[in-house]
Amino acid sequence: MRLALAALALVATPALAKPAPLQEGARYVALGSSFAAGPGVGPNTPGTPDRCGRGTLNYPNLLAARLKLSLVDATCSGATTEHVLGPWKEIPAQIESVTADVRLVTVTIGGNDVNFVGNIFAAACEQMPTPDARCQKWRDIGEDVWKADEERMRRIVREVRQRAPEARVVFVDYITVLPPRGTCSSLPISVERMNQSRHAAKRLAKLTAKVAREEGAELFRFSAMSKDHAPCSANPWSNGLNAPSGDGIPIHPNRAGHEAAAEGLARFLR
């Protein structure tokens, strides 16, 4: 009950006309990156590309089950806005899954464009006595990159509108993966990098809200709903640098996070 009330209190929509109710069996397309795909959250969905990591217990699957929708999960781990709009090697453009009969589209995207999680991993590598061979350096993200991210997010909404005029388009912003203040033993990075990463998270949430508002899409503020459930909290909805087997991957939503997203979205959509 408390979760339900939190969902109602913390998610907001722009001033839109009252959307049509979703009927059982309505076609639902999920677009986005790993924060929606759910790698490591249950086994991969059979018949889907292994590298996309579409977990059977990700929020799109759980939401579809709750509302009895017909899901087309086009999400893919590592995807950027460019991979929603265009093909990514052997993976077709995610937007191609949106057809005229679609009634709901959820979108969780934009973080990889600005190397959000990649920079958190890079910050952790900086603290290692002997960095892992897979470690990459911190990337400073320029204004041109942020602007391009915004423009492609806008294009995604417009493309969905053109392909499925009757669909509800709902941005699901990124779950909170950083503690609200101080440092965290599950995320051993410097205070400076922690603050820089918090700033990037806030900017990404504001950017998503701006695009949703100005393009007439809906917004499910999962970042706000999950702010008290970061790593090192009493009830974390996301993992730190270590993730238990079968419960997601590092610095991503765990099972509890995907369940919370699905429950909150179900109430939001009703």
Side-chain angles (χ1 to χ4, degrees):
M1 181 65 179
R2 182 169 58 186
L3 174 60
L5 291 174
L8 290 173
L10 292 173
V11 292
T13 60
L16 299 171
K18 185 176 180 180
L22 292 167
Q23 303 297 322
E24 287 189 12
R27 191 172 176 85
Y28 160 35
V29 174
L31 307 175
S33 63
S34 54
F35 277 51
V41 181
N44 282 356
T45 302
T48 63
D50 284 344
R51 73 181 179 94
C52 284
R54 295 172 191 158
T56 52
L57 298 177
N58 64 14
Y59 84 71
N61 273 290
L62 297 176
L63 177 63
R66 276 176 167 80
L67 299 185
K68 299 181 180 178
L69 305 176
S70 177
L71 171 65
V72 178
D73 187 355
T75 61
C76 194
S77 298
T80 67
T81 51
E82 292 180 286
H83 304 135
V84 174
L85 294 165
W88 186 15
K89 297 180 180 179
E90 82 284 7
I91 309 295
Q94 294 185 28
I95 199 74
E96 295 297 331
S97 296
V98 179
T99 52
D101 59 342
V102 170
R103 295 296 179 267
L104 172 66
V105 177
T106 57
V107 187
T108 300
I109 201 68
N112 289 326
D113 298 64
V114 296
N115 205 41
F116 174 56
V117 171
N119 271 350
I120 297 175
F121 276 117
C125 285
E126 292 174 349
Q127 303 301 306
M128 295 179 182
T130 305
D132 189 288
R134 296 168 295 179
C135 283
Q136 298 181 0
K137 291 185 177 180
W138 178 277
R139 280 174 48 198
D140 291 320
I141 306 301
E143 290 300 315
D144 57 330
V145 178
W146 282 100
K147 183 177 180 180
D149 195 9
E150 177 181 342
E151 287 304 313
R152 286 190 295 268
M153 289 174 73
R154 291 180 183 277
R155 282 181 56 199
I156 290 169
V157 180
R158 294 168 189 172
E159 282 282 338
V160 170
R161 293 284 189 222
Q162 185 175 17
R163 292 166 181 266
E166 297 182 44
R168 293 179 68 174
V169 185
V170 181
F171 276 101
V172 181
D173 71 3
Y174 281 65
I175 191 172
T176 298
V177 295
L178 300 166
R181 62 190 66 82
T183 57
C184 169
S185 60
S186 295
L187 285 172
I189 66 179
S190 70
V191 173
E192 179 185 9
R193 292 304 196 202
M194 183 71 80
N195 289 334
Q196 288 174 308
S197 295
R198 285 194 189 102
H199 176 75
K202 290 177 181 178
R203 184 166 183 178
L204 185 58
K206 288 181 179 178
L207 174 60
T208 305
K210 177 185 177 183
V211 172
R213 181 178 65 252
E214 295 181 0
E215 295 296 330
E218 297 176 74
L219 174 64
F220 179 78
R221 297 182 185 272
F222 197 39
S223 59
M225 180 178 164
S226 59
K227 65 182 179 66
D228 294 327
H229 297 276
C232 292
S233 68
N235 180 22
W237 290 353
S238 57
N239 296 315
L241 284 180
N242 296 307
S245 178
D247 201 17
I249 63 174
I251 317 178
H252 278 73
N254 56 24
R255 287 194 181 194
H258 281 278
E259 289 169 0
E263 180 179 338
L265 268 167
R267 293 184 177 276
F268 178 87
L269 291 166
R270 286 177 178 141

